[in-house]
Amino acid sequence: MKDIRIGIIGGGLMGREMASAFARWCALIDVSVRPVLTSVADLNPATLAWFDCIPSCTQKTTDYHELLANPDVDVVYVAVPHNLHEKLYLDVLAAGKDLFAEKPFGIDLPSARRILDAVKSSGRFVRCSSEMPFFPGAQRAFELARKGEIGRVLEVVSGFHHSSDLDPTKAANWKRINATCGEGGALNDLGMHSCHLPLRLGWKPTRLFAQLQKGYPQRPDGKGGVTNCDTWDNALLHTWTTIADQEVPLRLEMKRLAPGATNTWFIEILGTDGGVRFSTAEPKTLWIFERGKEQWWKRTELGFGTPFKAVTGGIFEPGFPDVIQQMWAAYLMEREGLLEGRFGCATPEEAVATHEIFAAALESQRAGTVVSL
């Protein structure tokens, strides 16, 4: 087992989630690499204190430059506000480290393109975080579509919903402000989740019409006052893509105000000979449409059929920590040239493609027209 030394810049919610995935790496049984967390950088000393529970993490610093100078770091995972992506990603590459970047890979399209240029010139291994396609149901949907088993594709819906922003008393954070989240708002925050599988299947939109919606214009600032919130909170992108020389409707949904949804990712692909539907609201369940003399939807319970095999019994259902770990296995195995046909993490090119979609959506919203990509 080869150890890969990991540094994390941004030790908050996702930084701790990644560290926890490393701590239970022994659950995976068909990988030949192992992540070892050696360093964490965060501006908040209280945040750094959580990592005291990880013996291998011997460097905890409030200056990320110290992490980048550490020879005991091979790969850097960065989870910071979007306005900091470009600066930190370029610094990671300049330090000669491989990068596991958070979405959306820069605050806007020009930033994402500059990051991609730096990736190409650096020669470093870089991927973008997107964990939801590693659910077994998502993998099955992807394979059915990739193999063309549903006939001519008639329509596709891919989306990500949550509802926590329905609460007007929820304090604003950096994701509610254009200066730190980016003008895209929910597009930047959730868009990679919606776009990853369609893009991997080659279904990039050729034109689109966007309907963007804002929620509460002000929220508590967490300090006893209120602050303005100017980001888009919901996005419906009605797009067209080309599949097998046919124009196909593709709807992309990204919502932070979706009543009843709790971090729900979903995809539905309908064709002339079949269809498939999966949602993380039912993580073990896959719906498959079959057309015969009669037409019907079949419900299948998948269990724990992840791309990288684990000690977990096949009858159990996967969850968010499991797909985070699967995503990291894909990143590290691909880095070693050992992915062997399994589903890989989002590429820098795919991340830039999402920004091209987001930029077209913003243009469509401003003009109220269909925009070509």
Side-chain angles (χ1 to χ4, degrees):
M1 185 78 73
K2 179 180 178 180
D3 288 346
I4 308 297
R5 300 165 299 180
I6 310 293
I8 292 176
I9 299 177
L13 177 68
M14 293 310 298
R16 293 192 298 270
E17 191 69 49
M18 303 306 180
S20 300
F22 304 158
R24 54 187 295 271
W25 202 255
C26 58
L28 298 179
I29 59 177
D30 67 344
V31 294
S32 55
V33 292
R34 175 173 52 207
V36 178
L37 182 62
T38 59
S39 179
V40 177
D42 195 282
L43 293 175
N44 188 346
T47 298
L48 291 173
W50 181 88
F51 293 89
D52 289 343
C53 67
I54 301 175
S56 64
C57 186
T58 56
Q59 183 186 42
K60 291 175 279 289
T61 176
T62 57
D63 183 352
Y64 76 89
H65 296 95
E66 294 180 358
L67 181 151
L68 295 181
N70 187 343
D72 292 327
V73 172
D74 304 309
V75 170
V76 180
Y77 167 73
V78 182
V80 297
H82 304 161
N83 61 309
L84 302 177
H85 280 195
E86 183 178 353
K87 167 63 174 168
L88 268 68
Y89 293 178
L90 268 56
D91 283 352
V92 170
L93 298 173
K97 312 292 188 183
D98 289 340
L99 170 66
F100 201 3
E102 261 299 343
K103 57 177 178 58
F105 209 72
I107 196 168
D108 55 22
L109 178 57
S111 177
R113 285 174 170 164
R114 289 191 294 268
I115 295 169
L116 178 59
D117 288 342
V119 170
K120 291 178 177 178
S121 62
S122 72
R124 306 308 307 180
F125 182 74
V126 178
R127 292 292 181 266
C128 186
S129 177
S130 175
E131 64 277 355
M132 296 302 179
F134 289 91
F135 272 96
Q139 292 287 300
R140 283 284 292 274
F142 174 78
E143 286 300 318
L144 285 168
R146 186 181 66 84
K147 293 176 181 178
E149 295 181 1
I150 62 175
R152 175 186 168 185
V153 179
L154 298 174
E155 63 178 83
V156 181
V157 182
S158 182
F160 193 95
H161 293 174
H162 67 73
S163 60
S164 64
D165 282 13
L166 288 172
D167 180 4
T169 68
K170 178 183 176 181
N173 60 21
W174 61 266
K175 290 185 178 182
R176 308 301 175 268
I177 300 169
N178 282 347
T180 46
C181 183
E183 185 186 359
L187 296 163
N188 281 3
D189 188 16
L190 307 177
M192 172 58 81
H193 294 305
S194 302
C195 296
H196 190 174
L197 277 192
L199 288 175
R200 184 59 55 87
L201 287 163
W203 300 347
K204 183 179 179 181
T206 56
R207 53 197 176 99
L208 63 78
F209 180 80
Q211 293 176 294
L212 309 184
Q213 184 179 32
K214 294 185 178 181
Y216 299 105
Q218 290 187 323
R219 287 186 177 275
D221 63 4
K223 303 174 184 177
V226 296
T227 188
N228 293 328
C229 299
D230 55 1
T231 59
W232 296 109
D233 288 305
N234 285 358
L236 287 175
L237 308 188
H238 307 276
T239 88
W240 292 261
T241 188
T242 301
I243 304 174
D245 297 323
Q246 299 286 339
E247 195 169 56
V248 178
L250 164 63
R251 188 169 79 249
L252 301 170
E253 301 187 7
M254 294 131 272
K255 296 183 179 181
R256 300 195 289 212
L257 297 163
T262 305
N263 231 51
T264 301
W265 181 92
F266 57 91
I267 190 163
E268 180 177 87
I269 307 169
L270 300 179
T272 54
D273 298 330
V276 62
R277 178 190 299 152
F278 173 73
S279 169
T280 59
E282 297 181 292
K284 279 205 306 186
T285 301
L286 182 72
W287 291 92
I288 297 177
F289 175 75
E290 293 184 358
R291 179 186 63 80
K293 189 172 183 180
E294 295 181 326
Q295 303 177 32
W296 59 88
W297 282 95
K298 296 174 64 175
R299 181 180 185 273
T300 303
E301 288 206 357
L302 296 176
F304 207 85
T306 51
F308 294 89
K309 299 190 184 307
V311 297
T312 307
I315 63 171
F316 298 111
E317 67 273 11
F320 184 73
D322 299 301
V323 295
I324 287 287
Q325 188 178 62
Q326 290 287 315
M327 177 182 69
W328 268 99
Y331 174 88
L332 294 173
M333 291 289 278
E334 185 177 7
R335 181 178 180 269
E336 296 297 309
L338 300 173
L339 195 58
E340 297 176 348
R342 286 172 288 204
F343 190 86
C345 298
T347 65
E349 290 79 9
E350 287 170 333
V352 171
T354 66
H355 270 293
E356 291 171 346
I357 296 168
F358 305 160
L362 292 170
E363 181 182 349
S364 173
Q365 175 68 26
R366 284 191 291 267
T369 61
V370 173
V371 173
S372 297
L373 281 81

